[in-house]
Amino acid sequence: RYAGAFFFGREVRRAKGDGHFRYEKLPREEWVALVKDVHPGYITWDEFEENERRLGDNARALGMEHRSPPREGPALLQGLAICGRCGLRMTVHYKHYRGRTFSSYICNHDGMQHAARSCQIISGHTIDEVVGKLLVESVTPMAIEAVIAIDDELRQRGKDVERLLYQGVERARYEADLSQRRFLQVDPDHRLVADTLEAEWNQRLRELEEAKQRLDAEKTNVAVLCEEKRQQIRELATDFPQLWNDPHTPDRERKRMLRLLIEDITLLKGDCIDIHVRFKGGDARNQTAPAAQRT
């Protein structure tokens, strides 16, 4: 309602075995009706969608805590660290000693629910240094040029698809013109033949219009980088390390930059700490750090 939309059928009532009822929320595609921009809203629909996405990221579902929003504090992996033993999200614990703040990543779900021993307790300082160094090394000129090369390949593929679709439009236009000539040449007294040829002509015109729409959609979907954007991406290889290593950069901003590039980080403590970093897009890196604290 706050986004100016009308909806109906968002929940369904189901009967339970004891005669009572329970209400379940349905996925949006199963609602009876959803009409956007019915009345002026306090926020736009795009703002509403972004708010829903953030709430989903920050919520808890299926017994696993999803990534929480970046907060103050030096723990770089806050909301991103996953326990390598049980697979659950790790929480952050801060300790203040002689004017300094020290962080630890703790997996204590069994401890809170069953009074069991903590699954893992890992000192955060060394882990954060390893991940930060990996992040800076990943945003290099070579990696930036790889992005540019991928864009060139996508640009070429887009041109190939556009050429094929253009040929499809030309074929559909030829078939429509041929059907038109057949219809115009038929004897008007032959009504059955004329009706058949007219129906065929209309069908060819619809196919021509569909081919044009596919071509226009492809031109819109091909997202290529202009030269200005390319230059901005190249400058990122220089700007990012400077911003990351700047002592005046707040911890919260570093966490936000980390989330733009990294999906999650799995920690497993043994003789050393195994760090499995999963980047956005599916790439993964393995790092190790010395284990400085006993579990």
Side-chain angles (χ1 to χ4, degrees):
R1 297 186 184 95
Y2 284 100
F6 167 80
F7 63 89
F8 181 76
R10 186 170 60 175
E11 296 180 345
V12 61
R13 190 176 76 161
R14 303 188 187 279
K16 299 194 296 185
D18 57 3
H20 294 82
F21 294 91
R22 58 187 174 88
Y23 291 87
E24 294 183 0
K25 288 188 176 181
L26 299 175
R28 185 178 298 175
E29 57 271 13
E30 297 182 13
W31 295 1
V32 177
L34 173 60
V35 185
K36 305 174 186 176
D37 300 323
V38 174
H39 56 80
Y42 293 100
I43 60 175
T44 65
W45 183 260
D46 291 338
E47 291 173 331
F48 169 75
E49 292 279 79
E50 177 64 17
N51 292 342
E52 289 290 301
R53 185 192 65 79
R54 290 185 180 181
L55 289 173
D57 287 344
N58 300 336
R60 295 188 178 186
L62 302 179
M64 178 181 289
E65 182 181 353
H66 287 232
R67 297 186 303 172
S68 56
R71 300 188 181 96
E72 299 295 342
L76 188 62
L77 310 187
Q78 171 250 318
L80 297 180
I82 297 177
C83 178
R85 293 181 179 176
C86 66
L88 298 178
R89 297 276 176 179
M90 303 183 75
T91 58
V92 178
H93 174 73
Y94 289 111
K95 180 180 179 180
H96 303 280
Y97 180 72
R98 293 185 177 180
R100 298 182 60 186
T101 301
F102 300 89
S103 63
S104 299
Y105 299 107
I106 301 177
C107 179
N108 196 30
H109 296 274
D110 285 342
M112 292 185 294
Q113 297 180 8
H114 308 294
R117 187 181 181 186
S118 298
C119 191
Q120 288 192 112
I121 302 177
I122 300 176
S123 177
H125 178 69
T126 304
I127 305 298
D128 292 350
E129 284 187 349
V130 171
V131 174
K133 182 179 179 181
L134 173 63
L135 199 64
V136 172
E137 292 176 350
S138 300
V139 186
T140 62
M142 183 177 297
I144 296 301
E145 291 303 325
V147 174
I148 300 299
I150 293 173
D151 177 67
D152 290 336
E153 183 178 353
L154 293 176
R155 186 193 301 265
Q156 184 59 44
R157 289 185 180 181
K159 290 181 178 179
D160 294 340
V161 173
E162 185 177 338
R163 184 176 65 255
L164 293 175
L165 292 176
Y166 181 77
Q167 294 174 356
V169 171
E170 291 302 312
R171 286 195 299 269
R173 181 178 288 111
Y174 172 79
E175 294 292 339
D177 293 342
L178 183 61
S179 298
Q180 180 184 18
R181 290 196 299 270
R182 289 174 179 172
F183 173 73
L184 295 177
Q185 292 173 1
V186 71
D187 189 345
D189 293 334
H190 297 166
R191 298 297 301 276
L192 182 60
V193 177
D195 291 344
T196 302
L197 292 176
E198 184 180 12
E200 181 183 352
W201 182 22
N202 290 331
Q203 177 63 26
R204 296 294 178 266
L205 290 175
R206 285 192 291 269
E207 293 175 356
L208 174 60
E209 184 62 28
E210 292 174 357
K212 290 180 178 179
Q213 291 178 358
R214 288 194 295 269
L215 178 60
D216 293 339
E218 179 62 27
K219 291 180 179 179
T220 304
N221 291 334
V222 176
V224 294
L225 299 173
C226 63
E227 191 57 37
E228 180 181 359
K229 291 295 183 181
R230 287 168 172 248
Q231 185 60 32
Q232 291 177 356
I233 292 177
R234 290 189 177 99
E235 293 174 353
L236 180 63
T238 303
D239 296 341
F240 181 82
Q242 292 179 353
L243 181 60
W244 183 270
N245 295 319
D246 189 346
H248 297 95
T249 301
D251 293 326
R252 178 178 291 182
E253 296 305 319
R254 285 195 179 89
K255 295 178 185 180
R256 288 174 176 169
M257 288 187 288
L258 184 73
R259 289 160 181 259
L260 293 175
L261 300 173
I262 291 180
E263 187 69 32
D264 53 46
I265 299 173
T266 302
L267 304 177
L268 179 60
K269 187 173 182 179
D271 295 335
C272 60
I273 302 174
D274 295 324
I275 307 171
H276 181 76
V277 182
R278 193 159 62 100
F279 285 85
K280 299 282 188 179
D283 189 22
R285 303 285 182 86
N286 291 319
Q287 301 286 317
T288 58
Q293 182 176 349
R294 297 180 58 186
T295 57

